[in-house]
Amino acid sequence: MVKIAVDAMGGDNAPQVIVEGIELARQDFPNVEFILYGKEPEIKKYISDLTNITIVHTEEKINSDDEPVKAVRRKKQASMILAAQAVKNGEADAVLSAGNTGALLAAGLFVVGRINNVERPGLMSTLPVFKGDLDGFDFIDMGANADNKPEHLLTYAVLGTFYAKNVRKVVNPRVGLLNNGTEATKGSELTKTAHELLSESKDINFVGNVEARDLFNGVADVVVTDGFTGNAVLKTMEGTGLAMMSILKDSIKSGGTKSKLGALLLKDSLLQLKEKMDYSNHGGAVLFGLKGPVVKCHGSADAKAVSAAIRQINDMQETAVINELTTFFEK
Amino acid sequence: MVKIAVDAMGGDNAPQVIVEGIELARQDFPNVEFILYGKEPEIKKYISDLTNITIVHTEEKINSDDEPVKAVRRKKQASMILAAQAVKNGEADAVLSAGNTGALLAAGLFVVGRINNVERPGLMSTLPVFKGDLDGFDFIDMGANADNKPEHLLTYAVLGTFYAKNVRKVVNPRVGLLNNGTEATKGSELTKTAHELLSESKDINFVGNVEARDLFNGVADVVVTDGFTGNAVLKTMEGTGLAMMSILKDSIKSGGTKSKLGALLLKDSLLQLKEKMDYSNHGGAVLFGLKGPVVKCHGSADAKAVSAAIRQINDMQETAVINELTTFFEK
């Protein structure tokens, strides 16, 4: 059995979409047990039957605007913290939350705890690739750390390699270093030193520098960067995608009947575009490098995204990726 | 008169589009004189008449794959270097090139030279805003420097403020600091210290941290960041835009007659989208903080983009933005 501790109260539409996501996933994964933390009466409204589900009632929750570290310290009975405690105490294998990202990172670090010798866990998602047969690349660190040392980027490369290999079944994953040019001599002090470390490492398949422009083209299976840059890149992708969709919508609206008919005929293509840009079908963002999977869904995640995150946790447990990482980093 | 030294051989389609750009611009700006550096016979093919145009023949040019600093040192007779020399010698006011970006940065720093007390000039473009009446924001540094100190970001804020005020006629431009969260306490060591410096400065209108997700929404008129992050953000915008357009195209192609008819009806909207995303109508990227305007057009710039860069240089000269900056930094 895989046991997932779920923060049922985190996210814009909690607990409804969280529970609906579980309802979606439980059919495919009868081997997964859920412990839901949150307001029992609210949670129960959306559950069909309680097979494999335990509800632990708590009144407290961490809000999206709470200061993360303070919230983790003070709100000991919050649904998110109880979920993290469950992993620490061995009552569950993994944490799932759509709540305050900063608080979940803090709960991951301070409650679940790091794998030995992993100084800085990184936040990682599988982002889409739009060329060839590749379905995505693992991008780490997307913002767990604002300042990174070159050694952290080597750790990210190892973490990403194990994930791509185990969970996404990529053979000999190609690791790229996000940089401001592809030549080996390019970059900041950080990326130049990281380039040396990555080149020398025998534990990864380093393919050199990659540029942000080419990420969607499948230049690498794992792309490592410092958390500040990773965060900026991810948010730029989101902002650019949203801006383009909104310009197109406005333009269709103001274009009269011809335009609207065109949009109607193109509906499938536009939906396909939206679907391809949406990376939540690969699961949530993993705070990776911890003793158990801690997975963050977007605050506005729908039931499908929550269900994808459950599948992701199940895959991580079944492929024992964290056990393998623990062995690797302890050797 | 405004005198522009033009690297006629830089860019994918030089000298044709460079000269065509000049042909477009000269009608609107009869006060601009052009000195074109490059292969005279090739350049002459595209010129209608030589009013206000001087051609200085040279066989040498810097290629897009030349190592920048070496090329600037060794290719003393290259069209780009001669253009930069013309500004240094007072024969021209500004340099325009669509050639090797790194080489142009090096030529700007080592040949044209920095404004006194500007330690690190920054690469700046006006990028589009899609909300409200704002037409853009000035983004600096987009990659002139791979490592920045907090003081550099304050310099960028001043440079951007003068540009927005003089060239874009923005009243009291709002300056934002690109960061991984909007709260003042967020960020890396660099951005936290920069936040303090920007907050304390009386020379700018600092509005606090801004996130990459919101850049297109007009959160600030000037956005400052270190050159590594700025470069990554710019390339992510380009990569995301291109990826979305290509998914949409593929989807239309594979969608059969219905889809193609839809695309035909939506043609205006799709063109409008492309037009809005194209920021070259604001001009090129300025290496800003030098003794004269050094403006870089995209390697694949068309005549319209070259013409926009000429208008931009004309505006910079007419509003005396560099003189004002020189006075400011020398005080």
Side-chain angles (χ1 to χ4, degrees), chain B residues 76-106:
Chain B
K76 298 281 184 205
Q77 295 302 311
S79 51
M80 182 195 284
I81 304 305
L82 293 178
Q85 282 287 357
V87 174
K88 186 189 171 138
N89 301 338
E91 296 154 23
D93 303 305
V95 182
L96 176 63
S97 174
N100 184 317
T101 307
L104 188 63
L105 296 180

Coordinates of all heavy atoms in Angstrom, one line a residue, chain B residues 76-106:
Chain B
K76 N 40.0 44.9 -36.6 CA 40.0 46.4 -36.4 C 39.3 47.1 -37.6 O 38.8 48.2 -37.5 CB 41.4 47.0 -36.4 CG 42.2 46.4 -35.2 CD 41.8 47.2 -33.9 CE 42.7 46.7 -32.7 NZ 42.0 46.9 -31.4
Q77 N 39.2 46.4 -38.8 CA 38.6 47.0 -39.9 C 37.2 46.5 -40.2 O 36.6 46.8 -41.2 CB 39.4 46.8 -41.2 CG 40.8 47.5 -41.1 CD 40.7 49.0 -40.9 OE1 40.0 49.6 -41.6 NE2 41.4 49.5 -40.0
A78 N 36.6 45.8 -39.2 CA 35.3 45.2 -39.4 C 34.3 46.4 -39.4 O 34.5 47.4 -38.7 CB 35.0 44.2 -38.3
S79 N 33.2 46.2 -40.2 CA 32.2 47.2 -40.3 C 31.7 47.7 -38.9 O 31.5 48.9 -38.7 CB 31.0 46.7 -41.2 OG 30.6 45.5 -40.7
M80 N 31.4 46.8 -38.0 CA 30.9 47.1 -36.7 C 31.9 48.0 -35.9 O 31.5 48.9 -35.2 CB 30.6 45.8 -35.9 CG 30.0 46.1 -34.5 SD 30.0 44.6 -33.5 CE 28.7 43.6 -34.3
I81 N 33.2 47.6 -36.0 CA 34.2 48.3 -35.2 C 34.4 49.7 -35.8 O 34.6 50.7 -35.0 CB 35.5 47.5 -35.2 CG1 35.3 46.1 -34.7 CG2 36.6 48.2 -34.4 CD1 34.6 46.0 -33.4
L82 N 34.4 49.8 -37.1 CA 34.6 51.1 -37.7 C 33.4 52.1 -37.3 O 33.6 53.3 -37.0 CB 34.7 51.0 -39.2 CG 35.9 50.3 -39.8 CD1 35.9 50.3 -41.3 CD2 37.2 51.1 -39.3
A83 N 32.2 51.5 -37.2 CA 31.0 52.3 -36.8 C 31.2 52.8 -35.4 O 30.9 53.9 -35.1 CB 29.8 51.4 -37.0
A84 N 31.7 51.9 -34.5 CA 31.9 52.3 -33.1 C 33.0 53.3 -33.0 O 32.9 54.3 -32.2 CB 32.3 51.0 -32.3
Q85 N 34.1 53.1 -33.8 CA 35.2 54.1 -33.8 C 34.7 55.5 -34.2 O 35.1 56.5 -33.7 CB 36.3 53.7 -34.8 CG 37.2 52.6 -34.3 CD 38.2 53.1 -33.2 OE1 38.2 54.3 -32.9 NE2 38.9 52.2 -32.7
A86 N 33.7 55.5 -35.2 CA 33.2 56.8 -35.6 C 32.5 57.6 -34.5 O 32.7 58.8 -34.4 CB 32.2 56.6 -36.8
V87 N 31.9 56.9 -33.6 CA 31.3 57.5 -32.4 C 32.4 58.0 -31.5 O 32.3 59.1 -31.0 CB 30.3 56.6 -31.7 CG1 29.8 57.3 -30.4 CG2 29.1 56.3 -32.6
K88 N 33.3 57.1 -31.3 CA 34.4 57.5 -30.4 C 35.1 58.8 -30.9 O 35.5 59.7 -30.1 CB 35.4 56.4 -30.3 CG 36.5 56.6 -29.3 CD 37.6 55.6 -29.4 CE 38.8 56.1 -28.5 NZ 39.3 55.1 -27.6
N89 N 35.3 58.9 -32.2 CA 36.1 60.0 -32.8 C 35.2 61.2 -33.0 O 35.6 62.2 -33.6 CB 36.7 59.6 -34.2 CG 37.6 58.4 -34.0 OD1 38.1 58.2 -32.9 ND2 37.8 57.7 -35.1
G90 N 33.9 61.1 -32.7 CA 33.0 62.3 -32.8 C 32.5 62.5 -34.2 O 31.9 63.5 -34.6
E91 N 32.7 61.5 -35.1 CA 32.2 61.6 -36.5 C 30.8 61.2 -36.6 O 30.1 61.5 -37.6 CB 33.1 60.7 -37.4 CG 34.5 61.1 -37.5 CD 35.4 60.0 -37.9 OE1 34.9 59.0 -38.5 OE2 36.6 60.0 -37.6
A92 N 30.3 60.5 -35.6 CA 28.9 60.0 -35.6 C 28.4 60.1 -34.1 O 29.2 60.2 -33.2 CB 28.8 58.6 -36.1
D93 N 27.0 60.1 -34.0 CA 26.5 60.2 -32.6 C 26.1 58.8 -32.1 O 26.1 58.6 -30.9 CB 25.2 61.0 -32.7 CG 25.4 62.4 -33.3 OD1 26.2 63.1 -32.7 OD2 24.7 62.7 -34.3
A94 N 25.8 57.8 -33.0 CA 25.2 56.6 -32.5 C 25.7 55.4 -33.4 O 26.0 55.7 -34.5 CB 23.7 56.7 -32.5
V95 N 25.6 54.2 -32.9 CA 25.9 53.0 -33.6 C 24.6 52.2 -33.8 O 23.9 52.0 -32.8 CB 27.0 52.1 -32.9 CG1 27.3 50.9 -33.8 CG2 28.2 52.9 -32.6
L96 N 24.4 51.6 -35.0 CA 23.3 50.7 -35.2 C 23.9 49.5 -35.8 O 24.6 49.5 -36.8 CB 22.3 51.4 -36.1 CG 21.1 50.5 -36.6 CD1 20.3 50.1 -35.4 CD2 20.3 51.3 -37.6
S97 N 23.5 48.3 -35.3 CA 24.0 47.0 -35.8 C 23.0 45.9 -35.6 O 22.3 45.9 -34.5 CB 25.3 46.7 -35.2 OG 25.8 45.4 -35.6
A98 N 22.9 45.0 -36.5 CA 22.1 43.8 -36.3 C 23.0 42.6 -36.2 O 22.6 41.4 -36.3 CB 21.1 43.6 -37.5
G99 N 24.3 42.8 -35.9 CA 25.3 41.8 -35.9 C 25.5 41.1 -34.6 O 24.6 41.2 -33.7
N100 N 26.6 40.4 -34.4 CA 26.9 39.6 -33.2 C 26.7 40.5 -31.9 O 27.4 41.5 -31.7 CB 28.4 39.3 -33.4 CG 29.0 38.4 -32.3 OD1 28.7 38.6 -31.1 ND2 29.8 37.4 -32.7
T101 N 25.8 40.0 -31.1 CA 25.4 40.8 -29.9 C 26.6 41.0 -29.0 O 26.9 42.1 -28.5 CB 24.3 40.2 -29.1 OG1 23.2 39.9 -30.0 CG2 23.8 41.1 -28.0
G102 N 27.3 39.9 -28.7 CA 28.5 40.0 -27.8 C 29.5 40.9 -28.3 O 30.1 41.7 -27.5
A103 N 29.8 40.9 -29.6 CA 30.8 41.8 -30.1 C 30.4 43.2 -30.0 O 31.2 44.1 -29.7 CB 31.1 41.4 -31.6
L104 N 29.1 43.5 -30.3 CA 28.6 44.8 -30.2 C 28.7 45.4 -28.7 O 29.0 46.5 -28.5 CB 27.1 44.9 -30.7 CG 26.6 46.4 -30.8 CD1 27.4 47.2 -31.8 CD2 25.1 46.4 -31.2
L105 N 28.4 44.5 -27.8 CA 28.5 44.9 -26.4 C 30.0 45.2 -26.1 O 30.3 46.3 -25.5 CB 28.1 43.7 -25.4 CG 26.6 43.3 -25.5 CD1 26.3 42.2 -24.5 CD2 25.7 44.5 -25.2
A106 N 30.9 44.4 -26.6 CA 32.3 44.6 -26.3 C 32.8 45.9 -27.0 O 33.5 46.7 -26.5 CB 33.1 43.4 -26.8

